[in-house]
Amino acid sequence: AEMYTKTTGWCQNAASGDSIDRVYKDDTYTSNADGPSTCFNFCLPFVDAPGYVGMQWRDVDRGARCICFFDDGDVPTELLAGSVAQTGRTSVGPITGSGNDAHYCYAFKGYIGADGTERRAIYGDNASLDDYINFEVYGADLQVANVEKEYDQNQNHAEKTAPVFVDHTTITATGNTWSSYLLPETVDIHKDSVLQFSFMLEEDTVDGFQAVCLDEDREETGPNGKCFVLRSSQGWISHMVNVPTQTNLNELSYHSIPVGEFFNGPVNYLILIQDSDGQDQSLGRSSISDLKLISLENDLLEIEIDDKMQYLKNDQLSYTRDTGGAQDEIDFWMSL
């Protein structure tokens, strides 16, 4: 299910390997093919509960057990008929699978933080959002709420102007701002993941830069995220990825960044940075629009035809002259 990230093995704390508090029920299905859907429905009443971190199912010959996992102290007091609670563990945090393939662990993408309160406060109970942008992620539209949190530490100044969302497609930043936005669910970055968007630069900064980031947390350091510099007025930004072609003033640029080549793993935040460190930190105005995260094979060529992006497979044919005869050496194909 799209609510979960599947891993093989029994569930354990992803950081410490500790065992996890749980609610379970045995003999819930008679075929392994029914295991995922049966356990999905068994744990469904808990997805909005504090501290719910994921689920697990076992092969029929291992008891056909459905298990719902929770942070320490968050096991519900009201249980479903026939189910059993096991508590006393101290695990808090995301889970992952470990061990043999008779068990299958599903980490809940809606979990974040010690008890998940931040994401549930914004997106819980199927909240209807008024101020959001659409972020297309692997073909599905995510509505990202305009609830801004500072990215990294002590980067914003007290008088900063918060970015605005326009027409559910665009984020516009004015002046110095390091802004992060919690995604409605955890998104996985794979080797073939590509981030696409348009970027408009209306006013340059002084001693600054503009960047777009994807990150698991709100700290710029660490291997669990990456920032991509689109324009810099202070030269090369050594701790970020500087895109090959910087955007000029009053120019609209289109970007297709192979983010999966730079890091892999889960991300929770979309970040827009407009760093403006000159004497006047109100300088700088830029926008990102039409955000997409797609999966794209590395051997596809991206070209634009009639304002639409097309992807050509690396299927090469020899181009011959009218006198006949192939001109290519088959051993030396072009690479992408």
Side-chain angles (χ1 to χ4, degrees), residues 13-243:
N13 185 285
S16 66
D18 291 341
S19 184
I20 314 159
D21 284 354
R22 66 198 65 189
V23 172
Y24 71 88
K25 185 177 181 180
D26 289 331
D27 301 319
T28 54
Y29 43 91
T30 57
S31 168
N32 285 339
D34 296 329
S37 59
T38 302
C39 294
F40 176 92
N41 290 325
F42 176 71
C43 294
L44 189 60
F46 303 127
V47 296
D48 289 325
Y52 176 68
V53 293
M55 71 173 201
Q56 176 182 303
W57 67 276
R58 287 183 178 178
D59 281 1
V60 170
D61 59 3
R62 299 296 297 273
R65 174 178 290 187
C66 289
I67 312 175
C68 315
F69 293 98
F70 302 86
D71 280 340
D72 177 32
D74 285 326
V75 171
T77 56
E78 296 184 7
L79 302 181
L80 302 174
S83 59
V84 178
Q86 288 185 337
T87 59
R89 283 82 170 176
T90 58
S91 171
V92 173
I95 62 174
T96 191
S98 176
N100 64 56
D101 58 4
H103 306 72
Y104 303 90
C105 181
Y106 292 72
F108 181 45
K109 292 182 178 181
Y111 175 86
I112 187 171
D115 61 2
T117 55
E118 182 178 3
R119 183 168 272 139
R120 280 190 291 272
I122 300 172
Y123 298 105
D125 299 323
N126 297 315
S128 178
L129 302 176
D130 295 322
D131 196 7
Y132 64 89
I133 59 163
N134 284 313
F135 184 11
E136 183 180 318
V137 175
Y138 305 131
D141 285 333
L142 298 185
Q143 293 183 352
V144 182
N146 187 4
V147 179
E148 180 204 12
K149 293 290 184 69
E150 182 178 24
Y151 183 61
D152 214 29
Q153 300 179 27
N154 303 317
Q155 298 291 347
N156 291 332
H157 60 91
E159 296 78 22
K160 85 173 189 70
T161 301
V164 295
F165 287 11
V166 182
D167 296 332
H168 305 310
T169 62
T170 303
I171 307 176
T172 297
T174 302
N176 186 82
T177 181
W178 291 53
S179 301
S180 69
Y181 300 93
L182 179 64
L183 302 174
E185 63 184 44
T186 300
V187 171
D188 292 315
I189 302 299
H190 308 288
K191 182 70 173 178
D192 62 354
S193 296
V194 177
L195 180 64
Q196 298 181 328
F197 57 91
S198 298
F199 175 66
M200 180 70 188
L201 181 66
E202 298 180 55
E203 182 180 65
D204 215 349
T205 62
V206 174
D207 294 331
F209 62 90
Q210 285 89 3
V212 171
C213 320
L214 293 172
D215 208 327
E216 186 178 14
D217 54 35
R218 295 201 300 268
E219 292 294 329
E220 193 264 323
T221 57
N224 56 350
K226 189 63 68 175
C227 292
F228 303 91
V229 179
L230 312 172
R231 167 74 176 183
S232 176
S233 59
Q234 68 178 54
W236 191 263
I237 309 301
S238 61
H239 57 286
M240 297 182 180
V241 178
N242 297 255
V243 301

